[in-house]
Amino acid sequence: MASTNRTVLQFSSSSSSSQSLSAKVHPLVVFNICDCYVRRPDQAERVIGTLLGSVLPDGTVDIRNSYAVPHNESVDQVALDIEYHHNMLLSHQKVNQKEIIVGWYSTGLGVTGGSALIHEFYSREVPNPIHLTVDTGFTAGGGTIKAYVSNNLSLGDRQIAAQFQEIPLDLRMVEAERIGFDILKATTVDKIPSDLEGMEASMEHLLALINDIYKYVDDVVEGRVAPDNKIGKFISDAVGSLPKLPPSDFDKLVNDSLQDHLLMVYLSSITRTQLSLAEKLNTAAQIL
């Protein structure tokens, strides 16, 4: 690639432009990016890679997968391994043909001088690519994840700058993924929580959300808060999705599921113990 002499402008999402475009990223993408950052070469300050996904009927870019692309970056130059990028794309599309290139990612906060050149390359791969940035340092205990689109600013026939405009980004997670993401954000972790500890944390989080809903409904009924039809519809859909079971049947269902879970934990513990004993006996037999 050529040198990075072009000016790069970065704008926050407060600007009104590009608000018609939005993106949704799955937690697997964030985990993949963090894993690639941990495995990066010692001399590399950041990693970049390709984002795969699809464009939904409403225009939202759904980012579902990613892979890293080797690159060399200096003060005034950026070089991508384009052959590796194309080989990885072909391999991914053999597994899932519906996944196409939707953009690229880089680690770190915001865009840099080399981002314009990399974005120009991906603009030749797909129209209007998304640029995703992930703060793998998890500054202040939270991972900053942002998405941008780029427009070229021209003066006559001359391109003078690349404008990166932030767009709305939605990170959707199921409960199990949220627990893993919270652990990933923590700067220090004593131990990985067990299944029961994860279940307890999920129940506490669910209880806090229910209390918030109770408080909101009470405030609306008492006239302290103006009613919101969207929130009311969400609450109605959530209540309507609950199974209509007597409390005794619900307790029995939960207890049976918990007992099955405890049985699996017990069996896995016995299996680990048996494998450990077998390994020690085998080692002792080899010594004798």
Side-chain angles (χ1 to χ4, degrees), residues 5 57 100 104 115 118 130 162 179 194 227 242-243 245 248 252 263 275 287:
N5 292 329
I100 60 173
W104 67 285
S115 299
I118 302 173
I130 299 291
I179 294 173
S194 64
L242 296 175
L245 293 175
S248 58
K252 184 177 182 302
L263 178 61
L275 291 175
I287 294 175

Side-chain angles (χ1 to χ4, degrees), residues 207-245:
L207 181 60
L209 293 177
I210 292 175
N211 290 332
D212 289 342
I213 293 175
Y214 269 123
K215 184 178 183 304
Y216 172 78
V217 173
D218 290 339
D219 290 342
V220 171
V221 172
E222 296 296 332
R224 294 189 292 268
V225 176
D228 189 319
N229 291 334
K230 286 186 177 180
I231 298 178
K233 185 176 184 304
F234 286 142
I235 295 175
S236 176
D237 292 341
V239 174
S241 64
L242 296 175
K244 296 181 180 180
L245 293 175

Side-chain angles (χ1 to χ4, degrees), residues 17 33 49 59 64 81 149-150 154 213 221 253 259 269 276 283:
S17 62
I33 294 173
R64 295 194 299 268
D81 191 337
V149 292
S150 175
S154 302
I213 293 175
V221 172
L253 181 63
Q259 289 175 3
S269 177
S276 178
T283 302

Side-chain angles (χ1 to χ4, degrees), residues 6 25 37 51 56 61 86 92 140 145 158-159 191 210 244 263 267-268:
R6 192 186 307 179
V25 60
Y37 180 77
L51 299 174
L56 301 180
V61 179
H86 288 153
H92 275 270
I145 305 172
R158 179 186 177 190
Q159 293 182 356
K191 67 182 185 67
I210 292 175
K244 296 181 180 180
L263 178 61
L267 290 175
S268 62

